[in-house]
Amino acid sequence: MAQGITTGEYWEDRVAFETEGAGQEHVEYDDVLEFNTFDGLPYSSRYYTLLKERMALPVWKAKCDFMDKLANKQFVIVSGTAKTGRSCQIPQWCAEFCLSVQYQNGMVVCTQDHRQHTVDLALRVADEMDVNIGHEVGYSIPLETCCSSDTVLRYCTSDMLLREMMSDPMLEHYGVIVIDQAHERTVTTHPGPKLLGHYRNVPLIQLEGVCSAEAVYTGTSHKDYFCSALRLVLEIHHSQEEGDIVVFLATTQEIDLARDILHREEVNTSPHLGELLPISVHPGLGGTLPMPSEEDGRCRRVFLTSSPNEDLFWAVHKLNFVIDAGVQKRNVYNPRIRANSVAIQPISRSQAESRKQLVGTTGKSFCLYPEDTPLPSETRPHILESDITSTVLFLKRMDIGGLGRCDFIDRPDPEGLMQALEELDYLAALDDDGNLSEIGIIMSEFPLEPQMAKTLLASCEFDCVSEVTTIAAMLAAPSCYLVPSMELRLEASQCHLKFQHPEGDHFTLINIYKAFKQNQQEPFVSVEKWCQDYFLSLSALQTADAIRSELTDILRRIELPVSMPSFGSKGNIINIKRALLAGFFMQVARDVDSSGNYFMLTHKHVAQIHPLSAYGTKTPKLGLPEWVLFHEYTFSEDNCIRTVSHISPEEFIQMAPQYFFFNLPPSESKDILQNILDKGAEHYKAKKIKKSPSLDSIPEVTASCVIQ
């Protein structure tokens, strides 16, 4: 306790010094040379400039209170809206606290939900602390780490910290762990009784919020918000009022369409109004927000986004207008049909307030919904709407048993929990006692969904590791297909057809990746131009390449065999399908009427192949495959299966676990499979092979299937 009191007194002295120094001109520091306690070098003049800006943030008023609670309590909850400075300042203060106790308990880690926001924050904080990025301040995101042994403050995405827990369950390397944007994971920006009650008597620091702009409610119905938003953008631009605009829409399709429309409108706009620059900001994708340069002149940026994270725009200083549709797209997972359904839902009240605060008191906020719209008080937690199979696999790896009694803040639906356990059991990831099997332990090593991890393991048995690793990487990365403007979509489709493989989309992805790598190695070929010519995303392909390298490194680290590439041979094609079925046997469908209506075996729903699929462009007369394996099914308006490849029923019977097959609901498709199974059994009886009829008695089943 004495050490804690000393720490608190230290911080009061430190804050007092900074407060006094920040209000003076830089010239007064000519005779006072202060050294940075993190790297031992003198502070630059920029440090004091940024310090003055930092001290104007609402969070700064709470510094003494926060430091005192940090020194004397194990948990502290800090609540504040966008632009209060909490994401930048709180981790810095934690690093200063750890330094004051000589890092006795370790360094500081701050988790974020969004990759790009993680990088942006680390760069900003390194600048404010007057240190080099990658040294005292660093970051870790999937496929990219910028840290060193000198790092005392590390920003990282949540999944990176979770993977770290597999080798360090108690995170003993860290003295302070900051969970930023906690409201996106559990409850709203302002912590409700649920969060406070869960931690029991944890001190709460409520930051003073930034005053909101006065909202203008347009009374637009939810069906008309898209056109209303674009009209408002053009009206603002024609009014010549200064400032950038952020438009919150609901879906990525709306973002791309709005960008195309505004690009066309900008061509017809009078030059004296200045340039109108629409910028797509897709949630979950990389890429920094373009910042204006001196050469931009009169350039008005229009940020089009559907991201729930308003803090993405913390660095946009010229933001003066917010246009909020008031709705968001939510993917709600249904464990009964193992599929997501897309729902357009109202945003929460706290989200609406955070969006208004982005422009402060001087800007304008347009709400495209009636003022009396009943917005929900809280955003529904993602754990209640998501497939939690990967989460359960992680918890099992952490030896957290008794999931039914686990202390969740928001307990997952029992049906979803049972479905996750059942799926892991089908994948042979669990033993008879419900603990992780050897296969399950290896699956948890890969940053992939469990089905794809099982597929990758099976590829080691079937000598097709190179090809399956490519498929896994391409599916884990963002889509490599660019969606151009409407007038170029036919040309884009023709370009994509050049990569099409007759066996299906999984094999087409291999063709695309191979072509990308081949052009990358050509000395006189611009890969960027090649991607543009074929309407492919360079960043997505580069991400897939990095993921593939990471997966290969993991395979070698755990000493699994990595076979040489042999794509194109008949045997290799069959082996790839076997490996895919080893993981995705739960995602098989049959064309029941030869017209493209695919019946899914596990839940008896009927869907069509997505138009972007290689099969999606075919008519039934050209011949669609009867049996297919698919990667994704979304139960929504389009009701489509995506990333589809042809399989045979015999291949399915060979690879599907016996008890999974027998648990399938009755259907004509199951009867067809049963007949094939029975004929295989009779064939073996005729040869007097004394085996009871089972899935293991089908021809071509060998010991290589032991991976199941």
Side-chain angles (χ1 to χ4, degrees), residues 492-523:
S493 298
Q494 295 297 321
C495 289
H496 294 161
L497 283 175
K498 296 177 182 179
F499 303 104
Q500 185 174 319
H501 193 285
E503 294 296 333
D505 299 331
H506 296 85
F507 302 89
T508 298
L509 293 176
I510 299 177
N511 279 341
I512 293 174
Y513 179 79
K514 287 184 63 179
F516 166 70
K517 293 299 292 183
Q518 182 178 349
N519 282 275
Q520 195 178 48
Q521 295 167 4
E522 292 290 338

Short mmCIF file of all heavy atoms in Angstrom, two decimals, residues 492-523:
data_model
loop_
_atom_site.label_atom_id
_atom_site.label_comp_id
_atom_site.label_asym_id
_atom_site.label_seq_id
_atom_site.Cartn_x
_atom_site.Cartn_y
_atom_site.Cartn_z
N ALA A 492 -15.91 -6.85 -66.03
CA ALA A 492 -15.27 -7.50 -64.87
C ALA A 492 -15.60 -8.98 -64.84
O ALA A 492 -14.73 -9.83 -64.57
CB ALA A 492 -15.72 -6.82 -63.58
N SER A 493 -16.87 -9.33 -65.14
CA SER A 493 -17.27 -10.74 -65.15
C SER A 493 -16.50 -11.52 -66.20
O SER A 493 -16.09 -12.67 -65.96
CB SER A 493 -18.78 -10.85 -65.40
OG SER A 493 -19.50 -10.24 -64.37
N GLN A 494 -16.30 -10.91 -67.36
CA GLN A 494 -15.54 -11.58 -68.42
C GLN A 494 -14.09 -11.81 -67.99
O GLN A 494 -13.49 -12.85 -68.29
CB GLN A 494 -15.59 -10.74 -69.70
CG GLN A 494 -16.98 -10.60 -70.31
CD GLN A 494 -17.54 -11.95 -70.74
OE1 GLN A 494 -16.83 -12.80 -71.27
NE2 GLN A 494 -18.84 -12.14 -70.50
N CYS A 495 -13.51 -10.83 -67.29
CA CYS A 495 -12.14 -10.99 -66.80
C CYS A 495 -12.05 -12.11 -65.77
O CYS A 495 -11.12 -12.92 -65.78
CB CYS A 495 -11.63 -9.68 -66.20
SG CYS A 495 -11.32 -8.39 -67.41
N HIS A 496 -13.02 -12.17 -64.87
CA HIS A 496 -13.01 -13.19 -63.82
C HIS A 496 -13.20 -14.59 -64.40
O HIS A 496 -12.70 -15.57 -63.83
CB HIS A 496 -14.10 -12.89 -62.79
CG HIS A 496 -13.86 -11.63 -62.01
ND1 HIS A 496 -14.86 -10.98 -61.32
CD2 HIS A 496 -12.72 -10.89 -61.83
CE1 HIS A 496 -14.35 -9.92 -60.73
NE2 HIS A 496 -13.07 -9.83 -61.04
N LEU A 497 -13.91 -14.68 -65.54
CA LEU A 497 -14.12 -15.99 -66.16
C LEU A 497 -12.82 -16.65 -66.61
O LEU A 497 -12.73 -17.87 -66.71
CB LEU A 497 -15.07 -15.86 -67.36
CG LEU A 497 -16.57 -15.71 -67.06
CD1 LEU A 497 -17.35 -15.46 -68.33
CD2 LEU A 497 -17.09 -16.96 -66.35
N LYS A 498 -11.79 -15.82 -66.87
CA LYS A 498 -10.51 -16.37 -67.34
C LYS A 498 -9.83 -17.22 -66.27
O LYS A 498 -8.95 -18.02 -66.59
CB LYS A 498 -9.59 -15.23 -67.77
CG LYS A 498 -10.15 -14.44 -68.97
CD LYS A 498 -9.25 -13.27 -69.33
CE LYS A 498 -9.85 -12.47 -70.50
NZ LYS A 498 -9.01 -11.31 -70.88
N PHE A 499 -10.21 -17.03 -65.02
CA PHE A 499 -9.62 -17.82 -63.93
C PHE A 499 -10.49 -19.01 -63.54
O PHE A 499 -10.11 -19.80 -62.68
CB PHE A 499 -9.41 -16.94 -62.70
CG PHE A 499 -8.56 -15.73 -62.94
CD1 PHE A 499 -9.13 -14.47 -63.06
CD2 PHE A 499 -7.18 -15.84 -63.06
CE1 PHE A 499 -8.35 -13.34 -63.29
CE2 PHE A 499 -6.39 -14.73 -63.29
CZ PHE A 499 -6.97 -13.48 -63.41
N GLN A 500 -11.65 -19.13 -64.15
CA GLN A 500 -12.63 -20.12 -63.71
C GLN A 500 -12.11 -21.54 -63.87
O GLN A 500 -11.52 -21.90 -64.89
CB GLN A 500 -13.92 -19.95 -64.51
CG GLN A 500 -15.05 -20.86 -64.06
CD GLN A 500 -16.34 -20.54 -64.79
OE1 GLN A 500 -16.66 -19.36 -64.98
NE2 GLN A 500 -17.07 -21.55 -65.19
N HIS A 501 -12.34 -22.36 -62.86
CA HIS A 501 -11.95 -23.76 -62.89
C HIS A 501 -13.22 -24.61 -62.96
O HIS A 501 -14.20 -24.33 -62.27
CB HIS A 501 -11.15 -24.12 -61.63
CG HIS A 501 -10.44 -25.43 -61.71
ND1 HIS A 501 -11.10 -26.64 -61.60
CD2 HIS A 501 -9.12 -25.74 -61.90
CE1 HIS A 501 -10.23 -27.63 -61.70
NE2 HIS A 501 -9.02 -27.11 -61.89
N PRO A 502 -13.24 -25.67 -63.78
CA PRO A 502 -14.47 -26.45 -63.96
C PRO A 502 -14.95 -27.14 -62.69
O PRO A 502 -16.14 -27.46 -62.58
CB PRO A 502 -14.09 -27.47 -65.04
CG PRO A 502 -12.59 -27.52 -65.03
CD PRO A 502 -12.16 -26.15 -64.65
N GLU A 503 -14.06 -27.36 -61.72
CA GLU A 503 -14.47 -28.08 -60.50
C GLU A 503 -15.11 -27.17 -59.46
O GLU A 503 -15.64 -27.66 -58.48
CB GLU A 503 -13.28 -28.82 -59.90
CG GLU A 503 -12.75 -29.94 -60.76
CD GLU A 503 -13.76 -31.07 -60.95
OE1 GLU A 503 -14.62 -31.26 -60.07
OE2 GLU A 503 -13.69 -31.74 -61.99
N GLY A 504 -15.00 -25.86 -59.66
CA GLY A 504 -15.68 -24.98 -58.72
C GLY A 504 -14.86 -23.81 -58.22
O GLY A 504 -13.71 -23.58 -58.62
N ASP A 505 -15.47 -23.06 -57.28
CA ASP A 505 -14.90 -21.79 -56.83
C ASP A 505 -13.64 -21.96 -55.99
O ASP A 505 -12.74 -21.11 -56.04
CB ASP A 505 -15.95 -21.02 -56.01
CG ASP A 505 -17.19 -20.70 -56.82
OD1 ASP A 505 -17.06 -20.55 -58.05
OD2 ASP A 505 -18.28 -20.59 -56.23
N HIS A 506 -13.56 -23.00 -55.18
CA HIS A 506 -12.36 -23.22 -54.38
C HIS A 506 -11.13 -23.35 -55.29
O HIS A 506 -10.05 -22.82 -54.99
CB HIS A 506 -12.50 -24.48 -53.52
CG HIS A 506 -13.59 -24.40 -52.49
ND1 HIS A 506 -14.91 -24.69 -52.78
CD2 HIS A 506 -13.55 -24.07 -51.18
CE1 HIS A 506 -15.64 -24.54 -51.69
NE2 HIS A 506 -14.84 -24.16 -50.70
N PHE A 507 -11.31 -24.03 -56.40
CA PHE A 507 -10.21 -24.25 -57.34
C PHE A 507 -9.94 -22.99 -58.15
O PHE A 507 -8.80 -22.72 -58.54
CB PHE A 507 -10.54 -25.43 -58.25
CG PHE A 507 -10.80 -26.69 -57.48
CD1 PHE A 507 -12.08 -27.01 -57.04
CD2 PHE A 507 -9.76 -27.56 -57.18
CE1 PHE A 507 -12.32 -28.16 -56.31
CE2 PHE A 507 -9.99 -28.72 -56.46
CZ PHE A 507 -11.28 -29.01 -56.02
N THR A 508 -10.98 -22.19 -58.39
CA THR A 508 -10.79 -20.90 -59.06
C THR A 508 -9.92 -19.97 -58.22
O THR A 508 -9.07 -19.24 -58.75
CB THR A 508 -12.16 -20.24 -59.32
OG1 THR A 508 -12.93 -21.07 -60.20
CG2 THR A 508 -11.99 -18.86 -59.95
N LEU A 509 -10.09 -20.02 -56.90
CA LEU A 509 -9.26 -19.20 -56.01
C LEU A 509 -7.79 -19.57 -56.13
O LEU A 509 -6.90 -18.71 -56.07
CB LEU A 509 -9.73 -19.35 -54.56
CG LEU A 509 -11.11 -18.77 -54.23
CD1 LEU A 509 -11.49 -19.08 -52.79
CD2 LEU A 509 -11.15 -17.27 -54.48
N ILE A 510 -7.51 -20.87 -56.32
CA ILE A 510 -6.13 -21.30 -56.51
C ILE A 510 -5.58 -20.71 -57.81
O ILE A 510 -4.44 -20.24 -57.87
CB ILE A 510 -6.03 -22.84 -56.52
CG1 ILE A 510 -6.49 -23.41 -55.19
CG2 ILE A 510 -4.61 -23.29 -56.83
CD1 ILE A 510 -6.50 -24.93 -55.14
N ASN A 511 -6.39 -20.75 -58.87
CA ASN A 511 -5.96 -20.17 -60.15
C ASN A 511 -5.62 -18.69 -60.02
O ASN A 511 -4.62 -18.21 -60.56
CB ASN A 511 -7.05 -20.36 -61.20
CG ASN A 511 -7.05 -21.75 -61.82
OD1 ASN A 511 -6.05 -22.47 -61.74
ND2 ASN A 511 -8.16 -22.13 -62.42
N ILE A 512 -6.46 -17.96 -59.29
CA ILE A 512 -6.22 -16.52 -59.12
C ILE A 512 -4.94 -16.28 -58.35
O ILE A 512 -4.11 -15.43 -58.74
CB ILE A 512 -7.42 -15.86 -58.41
CG1 ILE A 512 -8.67 -15.91 -59.30
CG2 ILE A 512 -7.10 -14.41 -58.02
CD1 ILE A 512 -9.93 -15.41 -58.62
N TYR A 513 -4.74 -17.02 -57.28
CA TYR A 513 -3.53 -16.82 -56.47
C TYR A 513 -2.28 -17.18 -57.27
O TYR A 513 -1.27 -16.46 -57.20
CB TYR A 513 -3.62 -17.67 -55.20
CG TYR A 513 -2.39 -17.55 -54.32
CD1 TYR A 513 -2.22 -16.44 -53.50
CD2 TYR A 513 -1.39 -18.52 -54.35
CE1 TYR A 513 -1.09 -16.30 -52.71
CE2 TYR A 513 -0.26 -18.39 -53.56
CZ TYR A 513 -0.11 -17.28 -52.74
OH TYR A 513 1.02 -17.15 -51.97
N LYS A 514 -2.33 -18.28 -58.02
CA LYS A 514 -1.17 -18.67 -58.83
C LYS A 514 -0.85 -17.61 -59.88
O LYS A 514 0.32 -17.28 -60.11
CB LYS A 514 -1.45 -20.01 -59.51
CG LYS A 514 -1.41 -21.21 -58.57
CD LYS A 514 -1.59 -22.51 -59.33
CE LYS A 514 -0.46 -22.75 -60.31
NZ LYS A 514 -0.62 -24.02 -61.04
N ALA A 515 -1.88 -17.05 -60.51
CA ALA A 515 -1.65 -16.00 -61.51
C ALA A 515 -1.05 -14.76 -60.85
O ALA A 515 -0.16 -14.10 -61.41
CB ALA A 515 -2.96 -15.66 -62.22
N PHE A 516 -1.54 -14.43 -59.66
CA PHE A 516 -1.01 -13.28 -58.92
C PHE A 516 0.48 -13.47 -58.61
O PHE A 516 1.30 -12.57 -58.83
CB PHE A 516 -1.81 -13.10 -57.63
CG PHE A 516 -1.18 -12.17 -56.64
CD1 PHE A 516 -1.11 -10.81 -56.87
CD2 PHE A 516 -0.64 -12.66 -55.45
CE1 PHE A 516 -0.51 -9.95 -55.95
CE2 PHE A 516 -0.05 -11.82 -54.52
CZ PHE A 516 0.01 -10.46 -54.77
N LYS A 517 0.85 -14.64 -58.10
CA LYS A 517 2.24 -14.90 -57.75
C LYS A 517 3.13 -14.93 -59.00
O LYS A 517 4.27 -14.46 -58.97
CB LYS A 517 2.36 -16.23 -57.00
CG LYS A 517 1.70 -16.22 -55.63
CD LYS A 517 2.33 -15.18 -54.71
CE LYS A 517 3.75 -15.52 -54.31
NZ LYS A 517 4.31 -14.54 -53.36
N GLN A 518 2.60 -15.46 -60.08
CA GLN A 518 3.38 -15.51 -61.32
C GLN A 518 3.67 -14.10 -61.84
O GLN A 518 4.80 -13.80 -62.23
CB GLN A 518 2.61 -16.32 -62.37
CG GLN A 518 3.37 -16.47 -63.69
CD GLN A 518 2.60 -17.31 -64.70
OE1 GLN A 518 1.61 -17.95 -64.36
NE2 GLN A 518 3.05 -17.30 -65.94
N ASN A 519 2.65 -13.24 -61.84
CA ASN A 519 2.86 -11.87 -62.30
C ASN A 519 3.72 -11.07 -61.33
O ASN A 519 4.43 -10.14 -61.72
CB ASN A 519 1.51 -11.17 -62.50
CG ASN A 519 0.83 -11.59 -63.79
OD1 ASN A 519 1.09 -11.04 -64.84
ND2 ASN A 519 -0.04 -12.59 -63.70
N GLN A 520 3.65 -11.43 -60.05
CA GLN A 520 4.47 -10.75 -59.05
C GLN A 520 5.96 -11.00 -59.28
O GLN A 520 6.80 -10.15 -58.98
CB GLN A 520 4.05 -11.24 -57.65
CG GLN A 520 4.54 -10.38 -56.50
CD GLN A 520 4.03 -10.91 -55.18
OE1 GLN A 520 4.10 -12.09 -54.87
NE2 GLN A 520 3.49 -10.02 -54.35
N GLN A 521 6.27 -12.16 -59.84
CA GLN A 521 7.66 -12.52 -60.07
C GLN A 521 8.19 -12.06 -61.42
O GLN A 521 9.40 -12.13 -61.67
CB GLN A 521 7.81 -14.04 -59.94
CG GLN A 521 7.53 -14.55 -58.53
CD GLN A 521 7.37 -16.06 -58.47
OE1 GLN A 521 7.54 -16.75 -59.48
NE2 GLN A 521 7.03 -16.58 -57.30
N GLU A 522 7.29 -11.61 -62.29
CA GLU A 522 7.73 -11.13 -63.59
C GLU A 522 8.38 -9.75 -63.45
O GLU A 522 7.79 -8.84 -62.86
CB GLU A 522 6.53 -11.03 -64.55
CG GLU A 522 5.93 -12.37 -64.95
CD GLU A 522 6.85 -13.18 -65.84
OE1 GLU A 522 7.73 -12.56 -66.50
OE2 GLU A 522 6.71 -14.40 -65.89
N PRO A 523 9.59 -9.57 -63.98
CA PRO A 523 10.32 -8.31 -63.76
C PRO A 523 9.70 -7.11 -64.46
O PRO A 523 9.87 -5.98 -64.03
CB PRO A 523 11.72 -8.61 -64.29
CG PRO A 523 11.53 -9.73 -65.27
CD PRO A 523 10.39 -10.55 -64.75
#
